[in-house]
């Protein structure tokens, strides 16, 4: 009970068109738009639900909201009490925000980094299947994100103690992977001098779909920031592209699930094979 999964991420972006070109022709993800106040928001259709990624036009690139799906209204109330007792101010989302997310209940608070974290009850299905540009195989869901920050201890306290995520594994001294369901991880927290998203992971159905996206990325000149490879801890096969907002999108398949008998451990080396970085890996020494 409690938080069930990562529901959606909202980003303030300066170049919506560049994002749309990356999502559609390269990653095989359908996009649509919706009105939100005076703005037109671009929504990425990763599965049958309305969206998993929302792009808001802005003058600066930054995370806007990190949204988690909560099982029931009673669990939302319980987590609200825990957050309030821990000193967080929890507020209700607006009717317009609930409608955009497809939620029946919505609350939010500001995390130790300064990002807005949302807890939503309910998801609205928008389609029976996922629209693909020109029939190109694309993403099947939103898997996880990695958040880097100098406030690692405070973030661990929030997610592990208050929001009740389970530690899956780690690499000492500063990279930790947490789950809220059987998927290996829905969030990872890393130590860094400056706060920011390191990457979002889009899940694909098969290695062939990942490979085709890899080919399209090369053909379309998308900046491949981390080459094709397999992770040591969750066993996912993936590659990464740098997105127009300056962080990474991971295109992945094959991540493992873990049971209640799983024992957290230091998994040592980061990769079974591949995953060469074009720039310095910020977690190389962690």
């Amino acid at each position: 009970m409690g938080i069930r999964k990562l529901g959606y991420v909202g980003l303030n972006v300066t170049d919506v068109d560049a994002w749309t070109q990356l999502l559609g022709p390269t990653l095989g993800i359908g996009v649509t738009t919706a009105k939100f106040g005076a703005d037109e928001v671009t929504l990425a259709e990763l599965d049958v639900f309305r969206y998993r990624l929302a792009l808001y036009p802005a003058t600066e690139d930054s995370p806007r909201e990190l949204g988690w799906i909560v099982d029931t209204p009673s669990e939302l109330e319980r987590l609200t009490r825990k957050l309030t007792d821990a000193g967080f101010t929890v507020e209700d989302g607006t009717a317009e925000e609930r409608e955009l997310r497809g939620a029946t209940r919505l609350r939010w608070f500001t995390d130790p980094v300064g990002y807005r974290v949302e807890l939503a009850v309910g998801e609205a299905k928008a389609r029976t299947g996922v629209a693909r540009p020109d029939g190109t195989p694309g993403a099947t869901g939103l898997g996880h994100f990695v958040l880097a920050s100098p406030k690692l201890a405070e973030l661990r306290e929030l997610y592990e103690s208050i929001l009740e995520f389970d530690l899956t594994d780690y690499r000492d001294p500063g990279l930790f992977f947490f789950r809220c369901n059987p998927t290996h991880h829905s969030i990872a927290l890393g130590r860094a001098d400056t706060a920011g998203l390191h990457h979002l992971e889009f899940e694909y159905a098969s290695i062939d779909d990942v490979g085709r996206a890899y080919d399209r990325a090369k053909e379309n000149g998308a900046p491949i920031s981390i080459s094709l490879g397999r992770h040591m801890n969750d066993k996912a096969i993936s590659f990464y592209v740098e997105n127009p907002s300056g962080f990474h999108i991971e295109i992945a398949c094959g991540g493992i699930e873990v049971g209640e008998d799983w024992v957290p451990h230091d998994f040592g080396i980061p990769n079974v094979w591949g995953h060469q970085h074009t720039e310095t890996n910020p977690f190389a020494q962690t």
Side-chain angles (χ1 to χ4, degrees):
M1 299 293 285
I3 292 177
R4 178 158 47 89
K5 66 178 181 179
L6 177 60
Y8 52 87
V9 172
L11 302 175
N12 293 318
V13 303
T14 57
D15 195 338
V16 175
D17 289 341
W19 263 99
T20 300
Q21 285 299 308
L22 174 64
L23 291 170
T26 297
L27 301 185
I29 294 170
V31 295
T32 188
T33 59
K35 293 296 292 183
F36 184 78
D39 293 326
E40 185 175 77
V41 183
T42 297
L43 307 176
E45 304 172 340
L46 273 66
D47 54 26
V48 297
F49 295 97
R50 189 171 189 192
Y51 74 92
R52 296 302 185 192
L53 177 66
L55 307 174
Y56 300 80
T59 58
E60 183 177 350
D61 291 280
S62 64
R64 183 183 176 103
E65 67 258 352
L66 307 171
W68 300 96
I69 305 300
V70 179
D71 275 320
T72 62
S74 62
E75 284 297 286
L76 179 62
E77 294 298 333
R78 185 179 67 83
L79 292 174
T80 297
R81 289 193 296 270
K82 291 192 68 174
L83 286 161
T84 302
D85 290 345
F88 292 91
T89 300
V90 182
E91 301 187 38
D92 288 318
T94 66
E96 186 178 30
E97 289 168 341
R98 290 197 305 273
E99 181 180 2
L100 181 66
R101 286 128 176 84
T104 57
R105 300 280 300 277
L106 181 68
R107 289 186 179 157
W108 67 274
F109 63 95
T110 303
D111 75 6
V113 177
Y115 294 155
R116 173 170 166 147
V117 178
E118 296 186 354
L119 304 177
V121 176
E123 296 181 276
K125 288 186 177 180
R127 58 194 69 86
T128 56
V130 184
R132 304 297 188 202
D134 301 322
T136 301
T140 58
L142 177 63
H144 64 256
F145 66 87
V146 175
L147 177 59
S149 170
K151 296 186 176 181
L152 179 58
E154 293 95 324
L155 285 170
R156 284 198 63 186
E157 176 69 17
L158 168 63
Y159 279 97
E160 194 168 8
S161 298
I162 301 171
L163 297 181
E164 302 173 351
F165 282 60
D166 292 319
L167 177 66
T168 302
D169 52 29
Y170 55 90
R171 285 174 57 214
D172 273 334
L175 185 59
F176 300 87
F177 294 77
F178 297 93
R179 67 187 187 276
C180 57
N181 57 51
T183 300
H184 180 276
H185 64 282
S186 293
I187 183 174
L189 302 173
R191 181 177 289 112
D193 294 334
T194 303
L197 289 179
H198 178 267
H199 72 264
L200 292 175
E201 185 232 20
F202 294 165
E203 296 182 337
Y204 285 63
S206 71
I207 182 59
D208 289 335
D209 289 345
V210 171
R212 293 185 187 105
Y214 191 66
D215 285 345
R216 293 194 303 271
K218 292 188 290 185
E219 291 167 2
N220 296 338
I224 297 174
S225 49
I226 304 175
S227 68
L228 194 66
R230 184 192 284 273
H231 287 305
M232 176 61 74
N233 61 342
D234 70 352
K235 309 306 180 188
I237 296 175
S238 67
F239 72 97
Y240 298 64
V241 295
E242 182 177 332
N243 66 54
S245 295
F247 61 97
H248 307 279
I249 297 293
E250 181 181 12
I251 295 87
C253 71
I256 63 171
E257 294 187 348
V258 301
E260 294 183 0
D261 59 347
W262 182 271
V263 178
H265 60 281
D266 188 329
F267 59 89
I269 61 174
N271 302 299
V272 179
W273 54 268
H275 282 155
Q276 284 84 28
H277 292 241
T278 59
E279 297 183 359
T280 301
N281 179 0
F283 305 125
Q285 303 302 317
T286 59

